[in-house]
Amino acid sequence: MRSVTRALPDEGTFVGQVRYRYRGWNGADADPVADVLRALDELTALVGEVPVVLVGHSMGGRAALRAAAATQVRAVVALAPWCPEGEPVAHLRDKRVIVLHGDRDRITDPAASFALVRRAAEAGSSASAVRVEGGDHAMLRRARTWHRATGTTVADLVTRIGGGLDPLPAERPGGEPGVL
């Protein structure tokens, strides 16, 4: 949150954090998604309908990607997201999706993340992926790179939602991710 807040050009931009009520995905209940949607409802009640960029790591990345079905969500930055096979992507149409995944991640699968990005792009999302060389799941290796990339990406998305410009190296033709 600090990296995003520091990178934002406008003090009028609200940055918030979702606290999950329960630990884990909890099967079909997908409790983290419900928590993100509840937070979006609270934000709308507080400030009205505003464009939203969601950021999530691991299970939170999966929750952010799922919650992107909400109309106010314009973009998602997913960090080392958990992307099981068959994860839905149709709702990401016309949304901006950026996935960063470390090539040393042994908890969630970088290849699954990059496959989700390809499927999302095929479904009409402006989706791209970035491979963080030497990056692990906890984002401790190359921590500055993770923090800087997350902050600058969110700041760029906030200022240019709908602009279609890639703030990070875009996925190359053929599905190969950009590299940091």
Side-chain angles (χ1 to χ4, degrees):
M1 280 186 55
R2 284 189 304 249
S3 296
V4 169
T5 302
R6 278 193 304 262
L8 288 168
D10 182 3
E11 291 180 10
T13 304
F14 178 80
V15 177
Q17 184 175 9
V18 175
R19 297 283 183 184
Y20 299 127
R21 294 168 299 145
Y22 306 106
R23 183 180 175 135
W25 190 256
N26 303 318
D29 289 341
D31 287 316
V33 178
D35 292 339
V36 174
L37 295 174
R38 177 186 42 79
L40 289 170
D41 288 344
E42 291 173 6
L43 176 65
T44 300
L46 183 66
V47 297
E49 189 77 24
V50 295
V52 173
V53 176
L54 295 175
V55 179
H57 171 254
S58 194
M59 182 186 71
R62 183 181 185 193
L65 288 162
R66 285 269 186 107
T71 58
Q72 66 266 51
V73 177
R74 301 298 199 296
V76 174
V77 178
L79 310 170
W82 171 35
C83 300
E85 189 174 326
E87 191 67 13
V89 295
H91 66 284
L92 298 173
R93 178 181 186 81
D94 299 325
K95 308 276 180 164
R96 183 72 177 99
V97 174
I98 301 172
V99 171
L100 286 80
H101 211 127
D103 62 357
R104 291 188 180 182
D105 193 331
R106 302 297 177 250
I107 306 298
T108 57
D109 183 7
S113 290
F114 302 146
L116 180 129
V117 166
R118 284 189 292 278
R119 291 188 312 108
E122 290 167 2
S125 169
S126 176
S128 61
V130 177
R131 185 179 72 241
V132 179
E133 288 190 340
D136 61 351
H137 188 72
M139 301 185 304
L140 296 174
R141 287 189 182 115
R142 303 206 53 211
R144 283 187 184 169
T145 299
W146 285 101
H147 288 283
R148 187 181 66 247
T150 302
T152 58
T153 299
V154 171
D156 188 69
L157 289 167
V158 166
T159 58
R160 298 195 276 166
I161 286 178
L165 299 175
D166 290 330
L168 290 173
E171 182 175 291
R172 296 181 184 107
E176 182 65 26
V179 179
L180 280 179

